[in-house]
Amino acid sequence: MRERADVNEERIQMVDNIVVRSPGAPLPKPLAGLATVLMWAVGIVLWSIAHLIVDPRAGAFAVDTALVLVAVGFALLFVDYTRTAVRAMLFGLVGIALFALVDFADLTVFVYMLRIIVPLFALMMPVNRIANGFRIFA
């Protein structure tokens, strides 16, 4: 009888390893909406004043920074947890740093590559959220 209890206890522990735990506190939807509106507003202002900047590299950096802000703002609408939102913003900072590096170094190929990849990553957030609910072999 004791062996059977040990086997059942071991089986419960194995199943416990498979359980997906919550990744943290949920992100309040009003906060996500406010962050989205603020990022979009700053992005639109940057796009509006980019043509007034005398240095073409700095103007391109303003446009690219606006692109990152708008992409992260869009992605925040589809984030459920605070930790994921912080990670999205950190990736946005990495994107701005990469744009600064390639814009001011005049690496045109990498600028256009980043201009394609940044919105693609933002569009992957709703796709990931929708696809997360599908179970193929379960």
Side-chain angles (χ1 to χ4, degrees), residues 70-90:
V70 168
V72 171
F74 174 76
L76 285 179
L77 290 175
F78 301 97
V79 171
D80 291 331
Y81 299 102
T82 305
R83 186 170 68 181
T84 311
V86 170
R87 287 181 182 169
M89 288 188 231
L90 288 176

Side-chain angles (χ1 to χ4, degrees), residues 14-103:
M14 288 185 345
V15 172
D16 189 39
N17 291 337
I18 297 172
V19 173
V20 178
R21 291 180 176 81
S22 174
L27 180 68
K29 289 298 174 189
L31 182 63
L34 178 67
T36 299
V37 169
L38 287 176
M39 288 184 182
W40 274 69
V42 171
I44 291 170
V45 168
L46 282 173
W47 277 327
S48 299
I49 65 169
H51 71 281
L52 300 174
I53 300 173
V54 178
D55 184 19
R57 291 179 185 152
F61 178 65
V63 169
D64 295 334
T65 302
L67 178 71
V68 170
L69 290 175
V70 168
V72 171
F74 174 76
L76 285 179
L77 290 175
F78 301 97
V79 171
D80 291 331
Y81 299 102
T82 305
R83 186 170 68 181
T84 311
V86 170
R87 287 181 182 169
M89 288 188 231
L90 288 176
F91 279 122
L93 287 176
V94 169
I96 290 172
L98 285 173
F99 270 123
L101 179 71
V102 298
D103 275 335

